[in-house]
Amino acid sequence: MIEKVHILDIPKIADPRGNLAVVEKETLPYEIKRVYYLYDVPSDAYRGGHSHKECQEFLVALSGSFEVVLDNGFQKQRITLNKPNKGLLIPTGIWRELENFSSGAVCLVLASHVYLEDDYIRKYDEFLISVNA
Ligand code: TYD
């Protein structure tokens, strides 16, 4: 696993009536400032394609599945998210691309910062410079 990237278990309350998963203060190493989600993503679409300077994100496949390609400038790793009780914690300085969304997939993102375009690095060559690669 790329350093500082983690798959975290989301505590689940199993019940014959259905499962209930809870993300609360203790689950993540930051306070959640923003929640957004991707849905109705075409199977041939690519999302992401950027890194963040300050913002950390926690991605959960609430429904369906998708793949996340992580890159720290030196190593790449592909992770499939397909469980609503597991999430991918992405620290700063990681280029991410999301692809191969299944039909009906929903990607929930719990972010450490509000949306700020200045926090994005959207050019791969600038990303490589930012991580001294
Ligand atoms: P973008 O960063 O390209 O999405 P992704 O990385 O998931 O492929 O964002 C798409 C558009 O949405 C872009 O114009 C910025 C805007 N946006 C917001 O206004 N607020 C947000 O919280 C996010 C994540 C994006």
Side-chain angles (χ1 to χ4, degrees), residues 43 45 65-67 78 98-102:
S43 59
S65 67
F66 55 88
E67 294 178 333
R78 180 181 292 270
L98 281 62
E99 60 189 36
N100 294 327
F101 282 76
S102 70

Side-chain angles (χ1 to χ4, degrees), residues 20-124:
L20 188 157
V22 192
V23 177
E24 51 191 342
K25 213 174 176 183
E26 295 71 30
T27 317
L28 297 178
Y30 55 81
E31 196 180 319
I32 298 164
K33 296 271 175 58
R34 178 169 50 112
V35 175
Y36 67 93
Y37 41 94
L38 302 171
Y39 62 101
D40 285 350
V41 181
S43 59
D44 59 353
Y46 291 86
R47 304 287 323 205
H50 62 256
S51 70
H52 284 285
K53 298 173 194 164
E54 299 285 340
C55 188
Q56 300 182 63
E57 293 191 327
F58 185 62
L59 277 55
V60 185
L62 280 191
S63 177
S65 67
F66 55 88
E67 294 178 333
V68 187
V69 180
L70 300 164
D71 178 351
N72 65 3
F74 301 91
Q75 278 174 282
K76 281 191 190 191
Q77 184 174 6
R78 180 181 292 270
I79 291 172
T80 300
L81 290 182
N82 56 9
K83 290 189 176 61
N85 68 321
K86 300 241 181 235
L88 176 65
L89 182 64
I90 308 180
T92 57
I94 302 281
W95 187 269
R96 86 289 308 274
E97 289 171 9
L98 281 62
E99 60 189 36
N100 294 327
F101 282 76
S102 70
S103 166
V106 178
C107 172
L108 174 75
V109 183
L110 307 178
S112 66
H113 287 66
V114 297
Y115 173 72
L116 189 60
E117 187 56 36
D118 276 357
D119 190 61
Y120 283 74
I121 300 176
R122 293 190 185 272
K123 292 195 175 127
Y124 190 69

